[in-house]
Amino acid sequence: MYRLLFTLVFRHMDPEQAHGSAFALIRLAARVPVLRSVLRRLLTASEAGAVRALGRTFPAPFGLAAGFDKNAVGVAGLAMLGFGYVEIGTVTARPQPGNEPPRLWRMVDQEALRNRMGFNNEGSVAVAHRLRRLRSTSAGRDLVIGVNIGKTKLTPAADAADDYATSAERLAPYADYLVVNVSSPNTPGLRDLQSVESLRPILVATREAADEATTAAGRPAVPLLVKIAPDLSDEDVDAVADLVLELGLAGVVAVNTTIAHDLGPGGVSGPPLRERGLDVVARLRTRLGPDPVIIGVGGIMSPGDAREYLAVGATLIQGYTGFIYRGPFWASRINRALAADAAAVAIAGRASSGVGTGTATGDVRPGAR
């Protein structure tokens, strides 16, 4: 049904306009209590797929990547559709409009997207205010929310650490984890900050600001991760992994969009990323060892793609582009399949140990090695 709707309607709309219209419908549905309750009950995966990571229990391993909900305006509606968690952003210290449109293009033959959005968002003050209101409710506190932060375009590279720290101070009290995004291709010079020499002071300043903010709010320290590009060389991936271990960070989000194309400005997401994303996650897991969290993202369109990321070492996984091409029940299908995998593994484990079978619950990571 969704494929037909996409072909007949959404495909002929401007991509950014279609995104806005669809997101508005999701938010509207979430405001109707009966509809919200029914959809959540129908689309939420069983507890068998729950994952314990970053100090929280994630209801399911597959979440929504940053970029869809930049301003934290629809987290409840997105969770209603079966995402295990939602990463909002990218948020910058100051509000900014992003790049001039057109800035989002479909690559329908590959089920991919190209974007040069440029961190368009309302800024960290507005987003912090919205998250504070959300977290003031019991339902809002139950949601698992990551916050992705980036550099304000007008901020010089020399002042990047202070810029990230400002956002972290404002947003950390409301985040289950923070992601330092230094890998978008759509802010001039941003990817240069992935070099270890530039990245170290940014991560140190961000963590210090986040820790001070959470301590003042009476909250535990928020886990800090860094998001990297697929276009880094293997040696640079290793260098970032070593820095994560050196600083004791919580982990890495891998990967962002790629500039390895000849289609014009912007980064490509979706299936063209999958092979490199899997390679980077596998390399990170080998380099980092078993403990740091790796959130795998890039080209996940089906349960099989999700299983591949988990099998090579991802702790959690994310997607975005598949939402555009596969429709509103896409996340639910993936998380339900992973929960079924986890339940089957748990049942097999109890059977082999002579323990009676029953409903599988708890901290099972689907595809764990």
Side-chain angles (χ1 to χ4, degrees):
M1 182 64 180
Y2 178 79
R3 292 292 186 97
L4 182 63
L5 182 64
F6 177 84
T7 301
L8 296 179
V9 181
F10 289 136
R11 183 174 177 174
H12 301 286
M13 295 174 65
D14 171 78
E16 196 168 349
Q17 180 186 356
H19 170 90
S21 298
F23 197 12
L25 288 174
I26 292 169
R27 299 198 304 273
L28 180 62
R31 294 191 188 105
V32 182
V34 174
L35 182 58
R36 181 180 64 238
S37 177
V38 169
L39 286 174
R40 185 134 199 181
R41 186 167 61 252
L42 290 174
L43 299 177
T44 299
S46 76
E47 294 180 358
V51 179
R52 185 71 184 175
L54 301 173
R56 275 293 301 254
T57 297
F58 288 67
F62 184 62
L64 183 61
F68 193 94
D69 187 356
K70 297 176 181 295
N71 295 303
V73 296
V75 179
L78 293 164
M80 170 190 75
L81 296 179
F83 288 100
Y85 60 103
V86 175
E87 187 173 307
I88 64 106
T90 296
V91 183
T92 53
R94 289 178 280 170
Q96 57 185 32
N99 295 321
E100 289 292 322
R103 53 191 184 179
L104 181 63
W105 298 268
R106 301 184 189 93
M107 301 161 59
V108 177
D109 58 330
Q110 299 181 66
E111 290 191 309
L113 296 174
R114 174 168 62 96
N115 91 83
R116 55 179 298 276
M117 302 300 289
F119 291 168
N120 53 306
N121 75 104
E122 296 175 11
S124 57
V125 171
V127 175
H129 177 70
R130 195 168 286 125
L131 288 174
R132 185 185 308 117
R133 284 189 300 171
L134 181 62
R135 293 301 204 186
S136 69
T137 67
S138 59
R141 288 189 293 273
D142 287 341
L143 298 170
V144 182
I145 305 172
V147 177
N148 184 300
I149 59 175
K151 184 181 78 67
T152 306
K153 184 177 181 178
L154 295 178
T155 298
D159 299 328
D162 290 339
D163 192 81
Y164 280 96
T166 296
S167 294
E169 178 186 7
R170 293 168 178 167
L171 295 164
Y174 315 109
D176 289 301
Y177 66 90
L178 273 178
V179 179
V180 169
N181 185 352
V182 287
S183 51
S184 169
N186 301 318
T187 296
L190 187 74
R191 286 192 169 195
D192 296 339
L193 301 180
Q194 291 177 107
S195 69
V196 168
E197 294 76 15
S198 299
L199 186 56
R200 181 182 284 106
I202 291 171
L203 295 175
V204 169
T206 301
R207 184 168 62 182
E208 288 177 352
D211 287 350
E212 289 177 6
T214 53
T215 297
R219 283 199 58 204
V222 64
L224 182 65
L225 299 89
V226 59
K227 187 168 187 175
I228 63 172
D231 309 306
L232 288 179
S233 68
D234 288 345
E235 292 74 18
D236 288 336
V237 171
D238 291 345
V240 171
D242 292 345
L243 182 61
V244 167
L245 292 174
E246 174 194 329
L247 298 180
L249 301 187
V252 182
V253 181
V255 290
N256 212 317
T257 58
T258 180
I259 57 172
H261 61 82
D262 56 4
L263 300 171
V268 167
S269 62
L273 269 180
R274 187 184 303 119
E275 183 177 351
R276 180 56 179 165
L278 288 166
D279 287 346
V280 171
V281 168
R283 188 174 192 91
L284 285 168
R285 181 53 71 203
T286 298
R287 194 80 174 188
L288 291 171
D291 293 331
V293 166
I294 299 173
I295 301 179
V297 53
I300 297 175
M301 307 295 281
S302 69
D305 299 331
R307 292 181 184 110
E308 284 192 81
Y309 268 95
L310 293 169
V312 299
T315 317
L316 299 162
I317 44 180
Q318 292 178 342
Y320 172 168
T321 304
F323 203 10
I324 309 303
Y325 289 100
R326 302 295 174 93
F329 307 137
W330 167 66
S332 177
R333 286 193 296 269
I334 290 176
N335 276 324
R336 283 176 175 273
L338 297 178
D341 292 348
V345 169
I347 291 170
R350 287 198 296 271
S352 66
S353 63
V355 178
T357 61
T359 302
T361 60
D363 244 1
V364 181
R365 176 159 69 88
R369 295 181 298 172

